[in-house]
Structure formats: C-alpha cells, structure tokens
C-alpha cells in the first residue's frame, strides 16, 4: 500500500524567530561556498538556448523574474505576484 502523504507542518508564529535564525545561520555558513559554486547569483539558472554559461543562465533567470514581476498581468495571472525565495 502506498504511504499517505505527510500533512503540511504548521509553524507557530512563536517559533518563527527560531526558524529565521536557523535559516540565517545556514546562509552565513554556506554563502562563501555558494558564491564559489554559482558566482554572484545563488539562483541555479534559466537556460534558454542550452549553451549558456552558468553565469549567463543565472543572469537570465534573474532578468526573467524581474520582467515577470514588473509586467502587467492579464487573464489568470492578473493580480499574481512573483516571490523569489532566497537570500
């Protein structure tokens, strides 16, 4: 029998500061490694042609997210927002 999907965990507001601190510590410890691996942008990248360098792919991803965030939305996307979850 297939295992039941785990229910999403609710994070109580009182514990958010502890989670925030753990995330901050993670990026403080790993930032140098991430920068060595990916360069200025921690985003993995968007390869539009397939032959871009990882640096260009990261720039293209950032440019695309900014374009989507600033472009007036139509139809089903009206009122939508872009959230870039990162450091």
């Amino acid at each position: 029998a297939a295992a039941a999907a785990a229910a999403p965990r609710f994070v109580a507001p009182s514990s958010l500061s502890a989670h925030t601190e753990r995330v901050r510590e993670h990026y403080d410890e790993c930032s140098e490694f991430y920068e060595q691996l990916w360069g200025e942008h921690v985003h993995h990248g968007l390869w539009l042609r397939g032959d871009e360098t990882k640096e260009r792919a990261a720039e293209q991803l950032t440019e695309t997210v900014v374009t989507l965030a600033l472009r007036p939305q139509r139809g089903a996307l009206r009122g939508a927002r872009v959230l870039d979850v990162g450091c």
Side-chain angles (χ1 to χ4, degrees):
R9 285 188 45 203
F10 173 75
V11 177
S14 62
S15 65
L16 284 178
S17 62
H19 290 288
T20 300
E21 185 59 31
R22 286 174 39 199
V23 169
R24 182 179 294 117
E25 289 171 0
H26 168 78
Y27 282 103
D28 286 347
E29 293 172 6
C30 298
S31 290
E32 185 176 333
F33 169 74
Y34 290 150
E35 189 170 342
Q36 289 175 7
L37 179 65
W38 289 109
E40 182 182 354
H41 302 287
V42 179
H43 302 98
H44 290 277
L46 175 62
W47 281 260
L48 298 173
R49 294 185 327 264
D51 62 350
E52 296 91 340
T53 64
K54 65 180 177 58
E55 292 82 9
R56 181 63 193 135
E59 290 169 356
Q60 287 177 163
L61 177 60
T62 301
E63 291 164 359
T64 300
V65 169
V66 168
T67 298
L68 289 172
L70 297 177
R71 182 174 61 189
Q73 305 297 327
R74 296 180 196 89
L77 295 177
R78 186 180 309 278
R81 295 181 181 180
V82 175
L83 173 63
D84 178 8
V85 180
C87 56

